[in-house]
Amino acid sequence: MAVSTQELAEAIAQLREQEAVQAARELLEGGASPTEIFEACRQGVEVIGQQYEKGLCFLPELLLAGEILTQISRMVRERYPTEAEARPAEAKVVLGTVQGDIHDIGKNMVAFLLEANGFQVVDLGVDVPPETFVESVKREQAKVVGMSCLLTVGHQSMKRTVQALADAGVREGVRIMIGGAATNEQVRSYVGADAWGQNAADAIRLAREWLGGGGS
Amino acid sequence: MLPEGWKSRSSAERFALRFAAWKEGRGIPFASEEARRAYQERVQRFWDVVELRRPDRVPTSLVVGFYPAKYAGITTWEAMYDYDKLGMAWRKFNEDFPTDSLTSCLLIFPGRVAEILDVRYYRWPGHGVPEDVSYQYMEGEYMREEEYDWFIEDPTDFLLRAWLPRVVGALEGLRQLLPVTPWLEYPVAGPYLLRLSAPEVQRALESLLEAGRATLEWAQKAAAIDQESTAQLGLPSLWGGFTKAPFDALADTLRGTRGIMLDIYRRPDRLLRALERMTPLMIRMGVEGASFGSSPFIFIPLHKGADGFMSRETFARFYWPFLKAVILGLIEEGFVPWLFVEGSYNERVDFLGDPELPRGRTFWHFDQTDMRRVKEVLGGKAAFGGNVPASLLHVGTPEEVRRYVRDLIEAVAQDGGFVLLNGAVLEDARAENVRAMVEAGVEYGRYR
């Protein structure tokens, strides 16, 4: 009995890890293209993303979905080493935890959900200095910047980063969102960002508003 | 030293003895009778709060990280390396912001000791973070998934011989130690003893000795700094000990967030077994870390069970039962668990009203949880406090802070059982906002 891409999507959506990986393997062996596999993955992860937004899925579920995708992508790349995933360049988000702060759980959740929703994420990591944000925005021609911090030390770093983007003449071309435990609307106003997100679902909503629905 | 007959005392008697001893303040060289009286009044406020009475007024405390350094104009690096500057800054902070408890400098661990040990799971000023930023934990999967069985079988052996050598560079040599069991029959302890001669083991042991000496030097100075503020200003030290929720203990520095969250799906039975094994260790950490005569409050920061981290179902299965067991274990010994609910518990605050938790024996400290909802759940059952936001103290105005404090006290503090606290640990703030919080606490917190 040949497995269908529909079954792969469902296995991912229901977080049945071994079945999902096995389905992808069988699909590949049966001649399915990387595009078909990735499309099924996208559908499955979309369900997880929706459940997250409804407050039904949390960190364990997002991380497990991410693990399943990583295993499947690895399998696909082993079989088709030259095939790359094409994404429209405009759906790009530059993301990082700001200077002085090395917390990354929240930022990683946002990165995962953005990718699951078809955005391309340029993840600058943690303790990211303002000039690195500026360089990345210029290099990637990104239209959206996401800054995260858990500690109040991040407020100054965020303010400096917004200022650095302005000094480099690229502030007008980007929308900036901030998030993380140490942030709120008052902090947004203080640092001069365009929006504050309370959780990762807000980040997706903002990216959709600003970039028009994502890459998918 | 515990009083005589401790073993035959009930938990209620132990509770009362601990509070009475804390209030007595034996051994504190008070600078004046006034200081002693102020100290005892403050302790009485906390005692009243815990037992859900109305003290003379709402007590106020600040939960503080490196803010005193910033306030006094020294760097975090200086606070961790220069004990004279540490003392200057923390004494100044305690003098300038007179709350109902001491802001202790003991959580500012000494950089020199961390250097001797080559601590790898924390970054500190000059070692991975800038010299004006707080130390921060560097998360990793320091316990591997295949090590569950070792941990479950013998947690302390695993921590000593596998985990410590991984997270503390100078202790790599402890990897070569054998299990302690050959000591059970001394004539066969030879192989164990021989391992101690290996150069790596010798280096590890020498580092431990050096770290011990350097810690003593710091501890004497830091304890003197704290004691001076207590003796002169009558400020009681708020927490007598520290422990963790079993899930956080396993999640934070052992499996890491990624590891443990995946374990929930991939190996739930092993995870549950490990949490069972962790629970008595966490009770013992709280009990044995505290000494009789110091505060009965045991500080327990709650991390990865908060809103956004896991579902209610996951919380009910993996987080709450083990935390509850630790709470009950501490209460049995007469302690009061001080549960610092970091982030928010809006989705699960009802768990805290668990009928099996005895009335008036816990304290809940909130950060971003809705305090009115907290009052509904905990009112008449458990004392609580909070939650002036860190962001308000950092980027707000004194008037906004005063209004926040006034509204909070009006809304949730009228029946007593409440402490005014900042929400998240204070690292950075405007001094006038912190002052406004402390003053507003006194102004609006009087009970008639």
Side-chain angles (χ1 to χ4, degrees), chain A residues 15 17 58-61 63-64 67 71 100-103 105 109 127 151-153 155 181 184 186-187 190, chain B residues 123 133 136-138 257-258 261-262 265-266 308-311 368 390-392 394-396 400 427-428:
Chain A
L15 294 170
E17 181 177 17
F58 295 89
L59 208 43
E61 292 77 23
L63 284 164
L64 185 60
E67 283 292 304
Q71 292 172 64
D101 195 331
I102 60 173
H103 293 87
I105 297 172
M109 282 172 84
D127 191 16
L151 307 176
T152 46
V153 62
H155 298 170
N184 59 18
Q186 195 169 25
V187 173
Y190 174 76
Chain B
R123 291 181 176 178
V133 169
Q136 293 172 48
Y137 168 57
M138 185 65 204
T257 306
R258 181 182 164 280
M261 294 297 173
L262 293 172
Y265 278 91
R266 287 177 169 170
F309 278 91
M310 55 173 66
S311 68
Q368 295 169 28
S391 52
L392 185 60
H394 190 204
V395 302
E400 287 170 326
E427 299 288 351
D428 208 347

Side-chain angles (χ1 to χ4, degrees), chain A residues 121-177:
Chain A
V121 174
V122 182
D123 189 342
L124 302 177
V126 299
D127 191 16
V128 180
E131 51 277 19
T132 307
F133 275 102
V134 172
E135 283 161 23
S136 180
V137 164
K138 284 183 174 169
R139 188 178 55 243
E140 307 288 344
Q141 309 253 304
K143 301 280 192 294
V144 172
V145 173
M147 300 190 289
S148 167
C149 73
L150 190 88
L151 307 176
T152 46
V153 62
H155 298 170
Q156 287 305 331
S157 304
M158 285 180 168
K159 200 177 171 71
R160 279 202 305 273
T161 305
V162 174
Q163 188 58 49
L165 289 165
D167 293 347
V170 293
R171 175 69 183 90
E172 294 304 310
V174 294
R175 308 293 286 274
I176 303 173
M177 61 169 99

Side-chain angles (χ1 to χ4, degrees), chain B residues 365-387:
Chain B
H365 174 178
F366 293 95
D367 176 7
Q368 295 169 28
T369 307
D370 175 356
M371 296 301 278
R372 287 155 184 85
R373 179 91 179 92
V374 165
K375 168 84 176 168
E376 283 170 22
V377 173
L378 293 182
K381 287 183 185 164
F384 61 91
N387 74 341

Side-chain angles (χ1 to χ4, degrees), chain A residues 45-84:
Chain A
V45 169
E46 194 172 40
V47 174
I48 302 284
Q50 286 162 356
Q51 289 182 338
Y52 172 80
E53 290 178 44
K54 288 182 197 154
L56 300 171
C57 268
F58 295 89
L59 208 43
E61 292 77 23
L62 294 186
L63 284 164
L64 185 60
E67 283 292 304
I68 296 172
L69 287 201
T70 305
Q71 292 172 64
I72 294 175
S73 317
R74 198 182 301 132
M75 261 173 6
V76 172
R77 292 212 178 91
E78 273 168 19
R79 205 173 179 96
Y80 300 97
T82 55
E83 201 96 9

